[in-house]
Amino acid sequence: MDKIILVTGATSGFGKAIAEKFASQGWNCIITGRRKERLDELAATLTDNYAVKVLALHFDVQKKAEVFAALQGLPAAWQSIDVLVNNAGLAAGRDSFDNASLEHWETMIDTNVKGLLYVSKAVVPYFIAAGKGHIINLGSTAAKEVYTNGNVYCATKSAVDAISKAQRIDLLPHKIKVTAIHPGAAETEFSMVRFKGDTAKANAVYDGYEPLKAEDIADTTWYCASLPPHVCINDLVITCTAQANSYYTYKGA
Ligand code: NDP
Ligand code: 8X3
């Protein structure tokens, strides 16, 4: 039977690589994001390269009405989702608590926390109806240790950690697996978004060591999703070899 993955934030970085990985294994993909052109491009690539079916839905996860309009009442053939990857997210700025902007904080909370909750709430009924399912939430090493000037980004990822634990308990009766994947630094568009297109600042994040790649996270996600029904990876921290935790990366002597 055809398998279906729904991955949010598939226009870039981890989400795009995850869609490509699962499509390469023959899974049909529901891909989401705000940038419609990129979604359409990815849909064409996946269809052409892997002969899978793709449903592209463009919406902003911050907007409750948009999320439910897009995900409730999916066409019947798309309702039997096997895996939901809550990946859409971002950091906005990296400023001290006293200097950080309220707007940045609100964007991160609305996207990383509320967006993940809205999408999960819209998809879980399909899992419950099927009597199975798998939610994979993208947290971060920032969920595990707060770092200097990481304040609200770290708080949103701690929330993802807590929500994952809560989902795991509450959704057990429905045989829904919940996995939280917590990556360290990975070179995607993440830092360009965080620093509003400041290339020098974004590149400096990855200077002096080899960070993770989006494909590393896609492979990890695939591993978690392809285990037998009785096995669930609950919590997985993955960093590049140069990184020990949220605030210690070895960049040479
Ligand atoms: P990218 O910036 O490359 O990708 C982010 C994706 O999220 C894009 O597809 C973007 O799509 C989507 N997105 C952002 N905001 C919204 C929104 N409001 N509504 C819908 N989609 C949205 O970053 P990454 O791939 O690196 O990040 C993916 C996830 O991994 C995030 O949750 C991030 O916090 C987390 N993470 C990243 C790490 C890193 O070092 N890169 C490390 C640990 C965790 P669009 O703009 O088209 O809407
Ligand atoms: C993204 C990685 O180190 O910027 O979650 O928090 S970090």
Side-chain angles (χ1 to χ4, degrees):
M1 206 166 72
D2 288 346
K3 296 270 201 176
I4 300 175
I5 182 173
L6 190 168
V7 54
T8 66
T11 56
S12 167
F14 298 167
K16 186 174 181 214
I18 289 167
E20 281 170 344
K21 177 74 192 183
F22 280 70
S24 76
Q25 303 299 315
W27 285 46
N28 296 329
C29 300
I30 304 175
I31 52 174
T32 87
R34 288 166 302 181
R35 287 169 288 181
K36 185 177 181 316
E37 267 178 32
R38 285 201 187 193
L39 282 180
D40 291 343
E41 234 172 73
L42 179 62
T45 306
L46 299 181
T47 312
D48 291 350
N49 291 353
Y50 307 112
V52 295
K53 297 190 189 90
V54 181
L55 180 64
L57 301 172
H58 67 104
F59 59 85
D60 185 336
V61 297
Q62 298 175 89
K63 300 192 174 144
K64 186 166 47 178
E66 280 188 23
V67 173
F68 285 94
L71 296 177
Q72 273 182 331
L74 284 172
W78 287 102
Q79 291 190 5
S80 52
I81 298 164
D82 293 280
V83 173
L84 161 66
V85 183
N86 277 313
N87 163 74
L90 82 172
R94 186 167 178 163
D95 302 299
S96 64
F97 191 90
D98 47 323
N99 287 321
S101 94
L102 281 174
E103 199 191 326
H104 281 170
W105 285 357
E106 282 163 359
T107 302
M108 291 188 279
I109 292 167
D110 288 350
T111 308
N112 301 352
V113 183
K114 291 166 77 177
L116 179 146
L117 290 172
Y118 298 154
V119 171
S120 300
K121 257 310 219 191
V123 171
V124 157
Y126 297 126
F127 286 163
I128 291 177
K132 67 179 173 59
H134 193 170
I135 300 173
I136 301 181
N137 293 325
L138 261 297
S140 169
T141 44
K144 302 295 182 180
E145 302 105 6
V146 174
Y147 56 79
T148 311
N149 298 339
N151 45 68
V152 171
Y153 178 68
C154 298
T156 64
K157 290 302 181 176
S158 286
V160 171
D161 198 15
I163 291 164
S164 303
K165 288 176 185 156
Q167 287 177 329
R168 195 172 303 120
I169 296 167
D170 293 351
L171 300 176
L172 264 188
H174 303 290
K175 299 192 172 63
I176 297 171
K177 298 186 192 187
V178 180
T179 299
I181 298 179
H182 300 285
E187 196 162 6
T188 59
E189 292 179 13
F190 178 84
S191 292
M192 284 294 276
V193 171
R194 178 173 226 172
F195 298 119
K196 301 263 179 292
D198 184 331
T199 315
K201 260 187 169 175
N203 290 344
V205 173
Y206 312 108
D207 271 354
Y209 68 104
E210 186 179 351
L212 292 170
K213 295 192 270 295
E215 291 71 22
D216 300 321
I217 302 309
D219 289 345
T220 305
T221 307
W222 172 252
Y223 176 73
C224 293
S226 53
L227 290 166
H230 69 288
V231 183
C232 180
I233 303 277
N234 291 344
D235 200 59
L236 191 154
V237 177
I238 170 170
T239 65
C240 67
T241 309
Q243 183 173 10
N245 57 36
S246 217
Y247 40 75
Y248 188 79
T249 301
Y250 186 71
K251 297 188 176 189

